[in-house]
Every structure is written in structure tokens, then in C-alpha cells.
Amino acid sequence: MSINMKLKKINIIVIVCYIQLCFGQKGNEANTSDFVIAFGSCSKVSKPQPFWKEILKSNPNVFIWGGDNIYADTDDMSKVRMGYEMQNDHEEYKKMKHSVPIMATWDDHDYGKNDVGAEWEKKKESQQLFLDFLEISSDSPRRSQEGVYTSQVFDVEKGNIKVIVLDTRYFRSPLKKSNSEYRCYEPYTNNEGTLLGEKQWKWLETELESNYSDFVIIVSSIQFLSSEHGFETWGNFPHEVERLQGLLVRKAVRNAIVLSGDRHISEFSMTKIKGLKYPIVDFTSSGLTHSYSGYQGESNQYRVGRVISTPSFGLLKFNLDTYTVLMQIRGKNDIVYQEFKLQYPKN
């Protein structure tokens, strides 16, 4: 299906400045950005980390970890601590974090165990080590909060960007295993199970009440739109997908964009939600040190463009005069694997 046919299918009603898909090209766009977000996920401290210089070159206003920030996979908290210390001691990462604010969520491998949720018995201890990694002060309210969700508003001369970081681990119900050889998990039915938990849902609703930001960035460690692959996804809890979509409409949230990780691939997904003036984009960027090298294709009805299955990071460049966002999947040496640009409504 062509890009134009896909856009007609999902009935986008915003102005699309252009959708330019590029592969292995040098980025040469003019530096007209009012705000820049760099983000990525899935980083093994035992592997080369090639992107910190590249990210710093992009002059981001914030870097966001999307989860699997280390690979601990253990209930031995001394090993988790060691993994975070190794990451913080990486010379190029240290240079970046001393220049750029860092925000983060976690996913299963830094949380402590593959695909685990609320049942993880070491989640409280793991949370404290995660906050140590981010150098969160000992007297911060985040130290006594259950879960690592947080938010921050970034003010610039022409407006502001709000970043909401969700925790898709701490409260998540156990996944429903599939009997199919083609899927790991099946969606819950009859509104069973939760992804965020009621406490976090109430917090999120409050965060979306103060709807004065020009753009709202929602960070989820797992994909929000793509759900046909049978692995971890919001689609395993379809009622939670509907709940977030309904919340965006009910609160008339301006210009929301979802950032996700987890999959060891990078891609753009996009759909139209009735009641919103713009399409929802789920920009997946994964991974920073390794990727799904054996990727041979999978269905995603919301995909725009192609899957990038080599290591990469994500970049978003905001122009608050034109209300456009340039979204890029980037590699080393200024390579842009894929990009597209959307214009959002000002009101």
C-alpha cells in the first residue's frame, strides 16, 4: 500500500507538509528547531555504544531513555547496581549527561526480569537503583512513590513542550500467554487486567488536565499502536488503549506524540482518533547497541514507511512558528535512515 493510500485510509485531517522516506542519506536540514528531543532504548553496557557523540551533536534539549537502559535480568540487586554504574561511567555518556537533561522510564530488562510486571518481587529495590542511576535526590517525592512515572515541562522562548513518562511495569497485570506458535501473548478480553494501574491512571489524568503545552510527549517503554506481532504491546490490554485514546479526546490534549522502545527495531506508526484534530504518531526507537538483525517482516496496520532493523536513535525537531515536527531515525555519521515531517494545528 502506498503512503498516500495509507494516509487516505486513516483519514488524517491535519496538513501534512511532506512525508519523505530516506535511507542511508546524510541529514542536511536547516537548524531551525526551537526544541529537540533525542531518545532511544535497549542498551547493553557490554557492547559498544556508538551514539552518544551523535546525540550530543544534535544539540538536544533533553535525552529520554525509553527502557532497557541496562540488561540486568536478575534479582541480585548488586548486579543491577553494577550495571547502572557501568553505564554512568561510560565516557561518552558522561559527556552527554553533563550537557543534556536526562529523563527515563524502564522496561523489563532493567526492571529485573523478561516480560515481568507487577508480580516482580524486587520492584521496590529496583526502583531505588533506577533513581540512583538518574541521580534523583534522596528527599525527592519520587523516592516514596510507587512506580517511576514522572513529567516535566520544558519552556522555550516560543512556547513549551510537556514530557510525560509512563511506567508500564510496576502495576502491569501478568500477560496472557498464547497457545499459538506465532504469538507469545494474547489480548485480554472483557476489560480484564491493567497496564498502568489506577493510581497511575489518576495521575495521568491530572497531568493532562493542565493542557497548555504546545506539544505533549508521552513516553511508553512498549509500543502503543503496533499490536499484531504477538509480543509485549499496549494491544494486550485493548481496553487500556481505548482508555488513553478516550482521555486524549476528553481532555482535548494538544498535539500528543507517543515515543516507545522495546522491540529492537525502529519504525513510525500513525492513526487518526475520532475527536482529535491531528493523527497520533507512535515513534519506536530501539535499540541503541543492538537490534533485531534477523528481522524478516511482521504486520503493523499503522506503519508508515519501513522498519529499520539496525541500531539507531530517535530525534524529534520542533518548530513552534510553523507547528511542525521533523521525526528522524538516525545512525552514525549523520545518517538519517528514515524521516517524516508533520504539521500540527496551533489551536
Side-chain angles (χ1 to χ4, degrees):
M1 179 181 294
S2 71
I3 296 300
N4 287 335
M5 289 174 64
K6 184 177 285 289
L7 292 179
K8 290 178 181 177
K9 178 181 177 183
I10 62 179
N11 193 27
I12 296 175
I13 59 173
V14 299
I15 301 172
V16 179
C17 291
Y18 67 83
I19 294 180
Q20 177 187 8
L21 302 180
C22 58
F23 301 91
Q25 311 240 349
K26 290 280 187 177
N28 58 2
E29 64 282 348
N31 186 18
T32 58
S33 305
D34 298 302
F35 193 82
V36 177
I37 293 174
F39 79 106
S41 64
C42 304
S43 179
K44 289 186 176 181
V45 295
S46 61
K47 289 182 174 289
Q49 300 182 31
F51 294 131
W52 303 123
K53 282 185 179 179
E54 297 288 336
I55 290 170
L56 198 53
K57 267 196 315 188
S58 301
N59 296 314
N61 297 86
V62 60
F63 174 78
I64 303 172
W65 283 104
D68 290 338
N69 312 317
I70 61 170
Y71 279 69
D73 294 297
T74 180
D75 59 4
D76 184 341
M77 293 297 105
S78 66
K79 292 182 179 179
V80 177
R81 181 183 294 106
M82 185 183 301
Y84 282 134
E85 288 174 352
M86 289 176 66
Q87 182 57 61
N88 269 330
D89 285 342
H90 189 281
E91 286 301 319
E92 297 302 329
Y93 178 68
K94 279 198 294 187
K95 290 177 184 177
M96 190 198 70
K97 77 171 188 173
H98 289 153
S99 302
V100 180
I102 305 291
M103 295 184 73
T105 189
W106 57 13
D107 203 39
D108 50 348
H109 297 291
D110 42 352
Y111 184 54
K113 186 177 180 181
N114 186 52
D115 290 358
V116 77
E119 69 274 20
W120 181 232
E121 63 269 18
K122 292 288 187 176
K123 61 184 180 181
K124 291 185 177 181
E125 296 91 333
S126 184
Q127 177 172 333
Q128 295 307 311
L129 294 176
F130 172 86
L131 296 175
D132 290 344
F133 169 59
L134 296 178
E135 301 177 353
I136 304 300
S137 64
S138 59
D139 59 352
S140 168
R142 294 174 66 183
R143 291 287 183 173
S144 56
Q145 168 188 291
E146 291 186 307
V148 301
Y149 55 88
T150 189
S151 71
Q152 186 171 342
V153 175
F154 294 87
D155 292 308
V156 294
E157 182 180 353
K158 297 176 183 177
N160 62 68
I161 311 292
K162 183 168 190 174
V163 177
I164 297 175
V165 174
L166 300 179
D167 184 336
T168 65
R169 291 289 157 193
Y170 200 96
F171 304 99
R172 198 214 68 204
S173 300
L175 297 171
K176 186 177 179 181
K177 292 186 178 180
S178 174
N179 293 322
S180 169
E181 62 177 306
Y182 303 107
R183 301 180 61 89
C184 290
Y185 305 110
E186 295 289 345
Y188 274 94
T189 57
N190 302 319
N191 298 324
E192 295 174 332
T194 184
L195 187 61
L196 300 185
E198 281 306 309
K199 186 180 295 185
Q200 187 175 186
W201 272 115
K202 290 178 181 177
W203 169 84
L204 179 57
E205 185 164 353
T206 300
E207 288 294 312
L208 296 176
E209 291 277 4
S210 52
N211 190 28
Y212 60 88
S213 296
D214 296 284
F215 289 87
V216 175
I217 309 303
I218 300 174
V219 182
S220 165
S221 66
I222 59 174
Q223 289 184 305
F224 178 63
L225 289 180
S226 179
S227 62
E228 298 162 58
H229 46 69
F231 299 106
E232 288 204 83
T233 166
W234 276 68
N236 291 325
F237 302 86
H239 54 289
E240 298 278 76
V241 176
E242 292 176 5
R243 184 170 182 175
L244 181 52
Q245 291 177 343
L247 191 58
L248 294 175
V249 173
R250 193 167 73 253
K251 301 300 181 183
V253 176
R254 297 179 64 197
N255 304 331
I257 300 170
V258 178
L259 307 183
S260 59
D262 175 55
R263 294 297 322 287
H264 301 176
I265 59 172
S266 295
E267 65 177 344
F268 301 113
S269 304
M270 183 164 58
T271 192
K272 179 69 181 70
I273 298 173
K274 184 178 180 181
L276 289 182
K277 298 178 180 179
Y278 55 91
I280 289 294
V281 173
D282 180 356
F283 182 176
T284 301
S285 182
S286 173
L288 287 166
T289 62
H290 59 291
S291 61
Y292 189 4
S293 58
Y295 176 84
Q296 296 185 9
E298 63 188 28
S299 297
N300 174 5
Q301 63 180 307
Y302 303 112
R303 183 179 298 131
V304 176
R306 288 174 51 191
V307 166
I308 303 301
S309 57
T310 56
S312 62
F313 67 95
L315 206 67
L316 296 90
K317 299 187 174 188
F318 297 80
N319 184 312
L320 296 179
D321 287 322
T322 60
Y323 265 60
T324 53
V325 184
L326 178 66
M327 307 181 199
Q328 298 178 321
I329 300 170
R330 299 188 71 117
K332 292 191 293 184
N333 301 318
D334 296 323
I335 292 296
V336 178
Y337 290 120
Q338 191 169 182
E339 69 177 21
F340 78 98
K341 187 175 186 179
L342 287 178
Q343 184 170 15
Y344 288 79
K346 289 190 175 183
N347 298 308

